[in-house]
Structures are given as C-alpha cells and as structure tokens.
Amino acid sequence: MPPPPPPLLLLLLAALAAAARPRCPLARGTTGDCHGPWAADSATCVDMPLRTCSDVAYNQTAFPTLLEHRSREAVEASSEYILLSVLHHLLEGQCNPDLRLLGCAVLAPRCEGGRVRRPCRHVCEGLREACQPAFDAIDMAWPYFLDCSRYFASVEEGCYDPLEKLREGLDVEEALPSGLPPTFLHFTHHSYAQMVRVLRRTAARCAHIAKTYSIGRSFNGKELLVIEFSARPGQHELMEPEVKLIGNIHGNEVAGREMLIYLAQYLCTEYLLGSARIQRLLNTTRIHLLPSMNPDGYEVAAAEGAGYNGWTSGRQNAQNLDLNRNFPDLTSEYYRLAESRSVRSDHIPIPQHYWWGKVAPETKAIMKWMRTTPFVLSASLHGGDLVVSYPFDFSKHPQEEKMFSPTPDEKMFKLLARAYADVHPMMMDRSENRCGGNFLKRGSIINGADWYSFTGGMSDFNYLHSNCFEITVELGCVKFPPEEALYTLWQHNKEPLLNFMETVHRGIKGVVMDKFGKPVKNARIVVKGIRHDITTAPDGDYWRLLPPGSHIVIAQAPGYSKVIKKVTIPARMKRAGRVDFILQPLGTRPKQLLLGPRRSGSGLRDPPGGASRYGEPEEPGQEPLGGRRQPSVGGSKPWWWSYFTSLSEHKPRWLLKY
Ligand SMILES: *[C@@H]1O[C@H](CO)[C@@H](O)[C@H](O)[C@H]1NC(C)=O
Ligand SMILES: *[C@@H]1O[C@H](CO)[C@@H](O)[C@H](O)[C@H]1NC(C)=O
Ligand SMILES: [Zn+2]
C-alpha cells in the first residue's frame, strides 16, 4: 500500500475534484476516470476498525474511503474523524448520534458482498435541515464531507439508510411473554426497548385515541417518547385542556416511569372496555405521558439493579447534569422584580445568560414541548420520599434553605397537591409502616422551598414561564424499588393519578374573541387578587385553574377594551365553567394610549411583536442557542477550535465560517 497522502493535499484534491467533476461520484453506469470505491466494481471488505464508528449498523468497511483515506491510520489522523469523535460534545448532544453515523457512512463506508454502498441523500438532507441550526449556534460551518450531493446517493442508485439502526431501536423484539392478552399489565421494570415497545403497542391497540411521538433525544440519542391520549390524538382541540405527566427526570427514580407505563396501558384498556370515567376523562382532556425524561440516567441506575441502587447513581443525565436544576432560574428573577410594585409572576422570559451555561438536550426538549403545546396542568414524578410538593421550590430568601415561599396561586396549588395526596392510601396512612412520616401532619403536601430550597427546577419554570401549573410527586422512599413492590405502588398511585388529572377541569375556560368572532391569541386573563395572568392559546382559548369561591376575571389584549366578569366556582365541580369574552376594539385612539393600561415593565416580558407562545417557530434551539457562545471577533478562533489543536498542521479550516 502507498503511504497515506497528507490530508490537506487530499482536501485540495477533493475540492478540485468536486469543482471539476461535481457529479462524478453520482454518475451512473460508466464511471470513467472517477476514483474511489464507489466506482470500483469490487472492493475488499474488512472488519470495522474505527472506534468512533463501531456502533454502525453494518460490520464491514473498505479502503479507500469515500474521502480516499487509504488506511485506518489515515482516517484516524484526519480532522474529519476527530470532528466526528467530538461532535457529540461540541453540539451538546444535539443531532447525535445521527450526525456521527452519517459521517461514519462516509469515513467508513458500508461494504457488503465485496461492494461499497453509499448512504442515502434524503437522509443527509433531512439531517442537514434539522441540524444546521445547531452548527450555526456554535458558529461552525457544515462539514464539507457531509455534503449531501457529493457523497450520498439516491434511492434509485441503491442507497441505504445509515440511521436505520436508530429507527429500529424503537421497534424491538417481542419482550412480553406471548399468549397473554394485550390488556395484561405486566408489573415489571421496563428497559428502554421494552418501554418503547409497550407504548407503541398501546398506541396501536388504541389507535383512535392514542398516539406516540418523540419530543427530542437524550444526550446519548434515545428518543424521549411520549404517548398521548385524546379523543382526537395529534391535535389540539378548542377548549380541551392539556395535561402532562413526566416520570424519571432523575434517572435513578424509576417508580414514576413504571407508573406512567402502566397508566398508558390502563387508560387504553379501560377506554376500550367502556369505563365511563376513563371515557369521560379522555373525551374531554388531552393527556401526554412522558415515562422517562432521563433514559440515559436510567441505564446507569438499572445497571446497578433494583433494590441496591445507590442514592445518586444515574440521577443525572449523560452530561452529569441534574435535569431538575437545569431549567432557567426565573424564580430569582421573579423575586428581584417583586421589589418593584409592578411585579408579574407569569410569562417571564428566559434570561440570555441562561444559554451561556450548559443546557441539556432533555431540558431543551421539554422547553420546546411547552412552547408548542398549551399545557394547563403537569406533574413530575420522583422517588426518595412520600410527599407532594408544589412551587415555589426556590426560597424567597436565598440564604434560607427552608422557607415557605408561596406563589400567588398558593390556594390552587394546595388543592392540586391534595388532589393527589388525599386519595393516596400511604400518604394518608397514620400507622408506623409509612415512610417519610414527617409530612403526615401536613397532609403529605408541602411547599417546595419549605422542604428544601433549590434553583433551576422544572416546576418553578413551568409556573413562571408558561400557563402550566406543575406539582412534584415523591412516590415513595425507595428510588429503585424491587419488582415485587411495583404492583402495590400502582394500586396506591392509580387513583391519585386519575384524580389529579381530573382537576384540570377545576376553574374556568373559554374563548376570547373580537366582535367578529375572531379568536384573540395571547390575550391576558387576569384574576383580581392573584398576580399571575394566563394567556390565550392561538385559537383564543384559555384555561384558568381556580379554587372554589368568587373571582373577578378580566380579559384584556392590546388594542381592545377590558372585559370584566364575576364568576363563582362551586366547591365540587367536575367540569370547568365556561366563560367567554368578547373584546371591543378601542377604536381610533393612538397606539401609545392603547398600550397605556399595561403595567410598566410588561414590555420586557412580552415576546417581541406579541408573538404567540405556542405554535410559533420561535423555538428554544434557535435564538437562545445563538447567544450561548459569543461569535468570534477580530480573527480569533471559535472556542471549539481547541479541540483540533492536536492536529499539528492540517487543521479543519473548512469548519470556520469567516
Ligand atoms: C456481519 O453482518 C452480517 C450481516 O448483518 C452478519 O451475517 C455477520 O454475521 C456479521 N459478522 C460479524 C463478524 O459480526
Ligand atoms: C366518549 O366519546 C366516544 C366517541 O365519541 C363516545 O362513543 C362515548 O360515548 C363517549 N363517552 C363518554 C362517557 O362521554
Ligand atoms: Zn427526584
């Protein structure tokens, strides 16, 4: 074999080749003077020698590669290969492992039966579209060797899908004992593959009321799979409130993950069997279950095994981030603003500096999910104690680790927490055999900061950034219970979960429209005495959770006069009272006056141009990511350039944008 040519020379050659004969690798039939294995009738397949590509779906490759590297050493010394090896970290888990597998398909092409096969162009194009923003965010150019038109082939040319394995991962082998009816609840722990399978099967069995979808990927590339139940799955319906239940945010707290897997099966089965209660719930509510928000952490915990699991192994995600500390700390922001009289405790924007820190892909996925769905109610399921806690989780005095720190919606949050705790037999158990007994005298509910204060929690973020009210449920003292305990856990938590979801219908809901019946989105629903406004969704619909009693409710939007109504919420209600508002335009008064009634400082908290919070393409991955690292100025290299310092001369200048 000739010695490997210097990579820089190769790059030049590649660039020249591309310029001179851009279609060469794609040419069909005769390949003329094209080089490379795609042109050869035959290649010598060798076992995959590259560590970074060891998990591709095939096991043989060939030299030279599509970039004309002639040996394993040449590939390993190349900047392309180094990029693939570190991409995961550079992009903080975004688009991975997809991008790495795509790159491997070029650097270690698939060889099969003595022929090299090329990856599909449409897969490359799809990924480029999805991942370009992640590159833009770190000021990196799209790598030349992922040029979809150059190294990839069409379906007619017999390409293969290099990401096939990722999709397969969601479609796993029979994991449940066959012969059992599909309605049979299996009280076991579920591996990732088993969980995905159960959710998919459940959605298939209840296809008219259920659907699975992914909200993104974990750092290690596992889909964050959600199962949704509603009369019309896949779409928001006017005035139908949306609930989310999230399990396993701490990877080693696994009871919630199992509860939600069982709940999905239970909802499906009971609906099919005609249970009036479940049918009513699903006919009037859109329910989203995310059994595992931290599937990577779960793997770590599960490897240690049930029962034994230590207190913290697997708590964090694969980047060692505690996801329940990783959300923007808006609570500090709220306390800071509280010093001025015009304080508002809703729709506080994410401060720019948040994006300069490490943001987990799991956290981003939740934030994006919250932006695209008008959630009203949520619960996050934990383990390690037996109690229901509610916001704020961060103490109003930073030095006080235990201090009652209520939200303006204290009454409602207590009611929500009680909806869970009051029907949980162990939370109400007065005997010696319950755990976490110190909460019993409070009815097993507690204000989060009164328990212990922390910042960056998901519940505070839900409340201060969106219309969603989230509580935290600690399901029991054992974080990773033995399998024998799961049946009892389900028996204890089934009713609390149902009862909690049903409370989404406490309060009022309705539509805000103008005099022509046109919905007004982003209108504010103000309740006198509660400094926390709710905003309308794109269809003009809103939900305002409210405790029993009389309330003065005001609807307002820029350009319209306020409408004020008095409502009375009865002590027992099963269905939200409907209160619609028709707003009259303020007429021809100048715009400044229209903005007059809005409290000072509100401009700061409104999305620019009054953009909708939901359904707009303004997703967290975009603008905020851009602010994470400062663009390089004055010729200095971007921060990630240091990853390539081991390359003495052939540094990947093609990654530099400027
Ligand atoms: C390589 O893959 C092929 C096809 O998937 C399979 O038949 C073969 O056993 C594999 N070989 C090795 C060494 O794993
Ligand atoms: C729920 O909706 C289905 C389909 O519209 C209907 O057949 C069923 O009777 C409804 N059940 C209840 C309890 O509302
Ligand atoms: Zn936890």
Side-chain angles (χ1 to χ4, degrees), residues 78 137 150 181 291 307 332 353 357 359 395 418 466 479 496 540 552 588 594 641:
S78 71
R150 259 168 80 188
S332 298
H353 63 77
V359 183
S395 157
R418 287 214 183 100
S466 80
K479 292 189 175 188
I552 306 290
T588 54
L594 304 185
W641 191 251

Side-chain angles (χ1 to χ4, degrees), residues 47 57-60 110-112:
D47 285 347
Y58 45 93
N59 53 24
Q60 293 214 303
R110 178 177 190 145
C111 192
E112 221 174 47

Side-chain angles (χ1 to χ4, degrees), residues 142-219:
W142 185 258
Y144 80 94
F145 65 96
L146 298 181
D147 181 341
C148 303
S149 58
R150 259 168 80 188
Y151 302 105
F152 296 80
S154 65
V155 175
E156 302 85 70
E157 289 167 295
C159 70
Y160 72 96
D161 179 357
L163 307 184
E164 178 184 30
K165 195 178 147 190
L166 291 178
R167 304 190 223 282
E168 256 174 22
L170 293 176
D171 216 16
V172 267
E173 78 296 340
E174 281 292 321
L176 296 174
S178 49
L180 289 172
T183 53
F184 189 84
L185 279 184
H186 216 61
F187 296 102
T188 57
H189 289 293
H190 289 77
S191 69
Y192 179 75
Q194 289 165 339
M195 170 179 78
V196 166
R197 176 164 187 84
V198 168
L199 298 184
R200 290 259 151 111
R201 270 170 53 142
T202 302
R205 192 154 56 85
C206 278
H208 58 309
I209 51 152
K211 189 172 181 278
T212 56
Y213 64 93
S214 165
I215 58 164
R217 291 249 182 91
S218 69
F219 188 79

Side-chain angles (χ1 to χ4, degrees), residues 249-250 252-253 315 322 324-325 380-384 452 472-474 479:
I249 177 174
H250 290 138
N252 60 334
E253 298 169 13
R315 176 184 174 93
D322 184 330
N324 205 30
R325 307 288 185 275
S380 171
L381 309 182
H382 292 244
Y452 67 94
T472 300
V473 182
E474 299 282 346
K479 292 189 175 188

Side-chain angles (χ1 to χ4, degrees), residues 421-599:
D422 284 0
V423 294
H424 191 293
M426 294 316 284
M427 288 186 183
M428 288 297 118
D429 187 63
R430 310 201 151 264
S431 69
E432 294 296 299
N433 59 19
R434 62 162 282 166
C435 70
N438 41 341
F439 298 109
L440 187 56
K441 58 180 185 300
R442 308 166 180 262
S444 286
I445 67 168
I446 190 168
N447 169 262
D450 204 4
W451 183 16
Y452 67 94
S453 168
F454 66 92
T455 59
M458 187 161 71
S459 298
D460 283 7
F461 178 74
N462 267 265
Y463 183 71
L464 291 174
H465 189 68
S466 80
N467 289 322
C468 188
F469 286 38
E470 183 175 272
I471 62 163
T472 300
V473 182
E474 299 282 346
L475 291 164
C477 297
V478 184
K479 292 189 175 188
F480 205 131
E483 224 148 53
E484 308 83 78
L486 293 174
Y487 173 72
T488 311
L489 267 169
W490 167 245
Q491 291 304 326
H492 290 166
N493 287 288
K494 179 178 83 177
E495 180 58 29
L497 286 167
L498 295 176
N499 199 46
F500 174 72
M501 290 192 287
E502 285 165 347
T503 57
V504 76
H505 298 286
R506 296 286 192 97
I508 56 171
K509 66 176 180 181
V511 182
V512 178
M513 52 203 152
D514 67 12
K515 62 179 178 179
F516 307 108
K518 190 168 154 279
V520 179
K521 70 175 179 181
N522 259 336
R524 297 192 157 271
I525 304 299
V526 183
V527 178
K528 273 257 160 79
I530 305 178
R531 285 194 154 181
H532 184 86
D533 300 347
I534 294 301
T535 51
T536 53
D539 299 333
D541 44 354
Y542 79 91
W543 305 261
R544 187 35 163 122
L545 297 173
L546 282 172
S550 289
H551 303 276
I552 306 290
V553 184
I554 302 157
Q556 61 185 57
Y560 298 94
S561 57
K562 291 182 187 179
V563 175
I564 304 176
K565 294 194 175 184
K566 186 179 172 193
V567 302
T568 301
I569 313 276
R572 298 220 159 271
M573 69 185 307
K574 281 257 180 276
R575 182 157 294 198
R578 178 160 177 187
V579 183
D580 291 345
F581 292 91
I582 297 171
L583 302 183
Q584 300 293 334
L586 273 178
T588 54
R589 285 201 270 156
K591 224 177 175 170
Q592 291 90 315
L593 280 180
L594 304 185
L595 295 172
R598 298 168 82 198
R599 278 160 290 181

Side-chain angles (χ1 to χ4, degrees), residues 86-106:
V86 298
L87 206 50
H88 205 204
H89 291 278
L90 298 186
L91 300 181
E92 294 190 342
Q94 290 197 81
C95 285
N96 269 298
D98 312 42
L99 271 176
R100 183 172 51 79
L101 295 178
L102 195 72
C104 285
V106 175

Side-chain angles (χ1 to χ4, degrees), residues 325-354:
R325 307 288 185 275
N326 194 235
F327 284 85
D329 168 22
L330 302 183
T331 327
S332 298
E333 200 83 357
Y334 167 65
Y335 292 143
R336 200 172 55 72
L337 294 167
E339 287 164 17
S340 68
R341 278 212 9 94
S342 62
V343 63
R344 236 163 61 180
S345 69
D346 54 90
H347 304 95
I348 299 178
I350 299 170
Q352 266 304 311
H353 63 77
Y354 169 72

